[in-house]
Amino acid sequence: MSHATSAAHSEARAFRLSMAANLLMGAAGVITAVLSNSQAILVDGLFSLVGFVAGYFALRIRKRVDAIPDRHRPWGYAADEAIFTTFRALSLLGVVIFAILGAATRIYAYLMGKPIPEVQMGPVIIYFLGISATCLALWAFHYMAWRKGGKVSGMLRIEASSAAFDGAVTMVAGIGLIGVYYLRDSVLAPITPIGDSLIVMLLCGFAITTYWTSFTSGLAELAGATAPPSEVVKARRALRGVMADWPGEVIDFALSKLGRSYQVAIYLTPARALTGTEVDQLTHQATRALAPVLDRADVFVIISDHGRHLPGPGQPASDRPG
């Protein structure tokens, strides 16, 4: 079995395990939330249910993300992974906003003098211990699968991060709830009825930052933004030796990331006429040179006198923008 095939099987196993574990944790969260009157546990369960749905779509995307371009998708299927990571983060942001509104509503009701159901700690302790251990195991499994696959799967990376974050949220929420409960006769007595809601607000504040970053990075990939500067530098260095021997001058270079693939555009002003075969050879040379630093790169060698900015009609090349 080749390395690529082994990595694909490992990734598929990780997503199946994620679906099973998240479905179990989601069901446990909803049931425990009903038994304990805890909003924090309900939010935790909803995160897990989102993870179950995400695992299902990730498994479907995994089957075709490496497919070659065809007449339906002339640029391939790499965009599916970027779409997944973007909307995965967006759906989690939706859960966070729902949780914030629910917690704010309960806090407002308390301030207006309405009775707040007391959190029952018996189910809470059992839940937090079990879910924290499950999240830790899930993170470890995803992380190892991500490393085994060459650290190129954005889906596995976000699943591992989500498992780690979910585990951290669960532990912090558990410690907070237990602390509030056992200090209910201390100076914290006035906030004990809404301690659960305050913990939800605190955790959601951290979650917004994490998932917003994932959402904006995925959106940037879909918009065709330039790859991170560190990756641009690595690609330029890898190509420097190859392009120095090319028959002409490289006048422009563009690198963007889409899912686990990279799109590389090299604009060449040739010193002589080039055949199609020669251009194909240059493309293969660039692809081989990039392989050690960019695992999956689609290289396009573009013959041009101007680069990515073509001058307007009658406009000299020296006046082109950029």
Side-chain angles (χ1 to χ4, degrees):
M1 182 183 295
S2 68
H3 173 74
T5 303
S6 176
H9 283 303
S10 180
E11 190 175 21
R13 283 197 305 270
F15 290 136
R16 292 190 186 98
L17 178 64
S18 177
M19 288 179 61
N22 277 294
L23 181 60
L24 177 64
M25 292 190 296
V30 173
I31 293 171
T32 306
V34 172
L35 295 176
S36 65
N37 298 318
S38 171
Q39 282 188 323
I41 292 179
L42 178 60
V43 171
D44 199 49
L46 291 177
F47 276 126
S48 296
L49 291 176
V50 170
F52 167 74
V53 176
Y56 170 76
F57 284 108
L59 197 58
R60 290 176 61 88
I61 291 172
R62 166 62 261 175
K63 294 178 180 178
R64 65 181 187 181
V65 72
D66 295 325
I68 62 174
D70 54 34
R71 65 188 183 88
H72 299 291
R73 299 288 290 273
W75 303 107
Y77 291 83
D80 289 3
E81 186 170 14
I83 293 171
F84 169 83
T85 55
T86 302
F87 284 93
R88 169 83 156 90
L90 185 62
S91 63
L92 290 169
L93 283 171
V95 173
V96 168
I97 293 173
F98 167 78
I100 290 175
L101 291 176
T105 300
R106 181 171 285 195
I107 292 172
Y108 177 77
Y110 174 72
L111 295 176
M112 293 296 101
K114 296 182 180 179
I116 302 298
E118 182 179 356
V119 175
Q120 304 299 315
M121 295 304 298
V124 168
I125 297 174
I126 298 173
Y127 172 83
F128 282 129
L129 290 175
I131 299 303
S132 296
T134 303
C135 287
L136 178 61
L138 200 57
W139 167 80
F141 195 88
H142 285 332
Y143 182 75
M144 288 188 291
W146 178 65
R147 285 180 59 90
K148 186 175 182 180
K151 300 182 180 180
V152 299
S153 173
M155 295 186 296
L156 268 180
R157 178 178 51 79
I158 194 172
E159 288 301 306
S161 298
S162 296
F165 182 80
D166 198 16
V169 166
T170 300
M171 286 189 289
V172 172
I175 293 170
L177 283 176
I178 293 171
V180 169
Y181 178 79
Y182 284 105
L183 294 175
R184 64 187 183 279
D185 295 326
S186 66
V187 292
L188 295 179
I191 66 168
T192 297
I194 55 171
D196 180 60
S197 299
L198 293 175
I199 291 171
V200 169
M201 297 286 279
L202 178 64
L203 294 176
C204 286
F206 289 113
I208 284 178
T209 302
T210 300
Y211 295 131
W212 180 254
T213 300
S214 297
F215 172 69
T216 53
S217 62
L219 205 59
E221 289 187 15
L222 292 174
T226 298
S230 61
E231 296 179 346
V232 175
V233 170
K234 288 192 297 184
R236 284 184 178 275
R237 287 175 179 170
L239 289 171
R240 190 175 297 160
V242 172
M243 294 189 302
D245 298 329
W246 282 11
E249 178 188 1
V250 175
I251 59 173
D252 204 352
F253 173 83
L255 175 66
S256 61
K257 182 177 183 296
L258 188 61
R260 66 187 66 188
S261 299
Y262 293 84
Q263 284 72 47
V264 183
I266 304 172
Y267 297 84
L268 174 69
T269 299
R272 59 175 175 79
L274 297 175
T275 65
T277 299
E278 288 178 308
V279 173
D280 289 341
Q281 290 174 346
L282 297 178
T283 302
H284 285 305
Q285 289 177 12
T287 302
R288 286 194 297 269
L290 287 170
V293 294
L294 302 179
D295 186 62
R296 304 182 184 195
D298 296 320
V299 179
F300 303 92
V301 176
I302 303 170
I303 305 301
S304 173
D305 284 333
H306 307 293
R308 76 190 81 178
H309 297 298
L310 288 177
Q315 181 184 9
S318 59
D319 293 338
R320 69 179 182 266

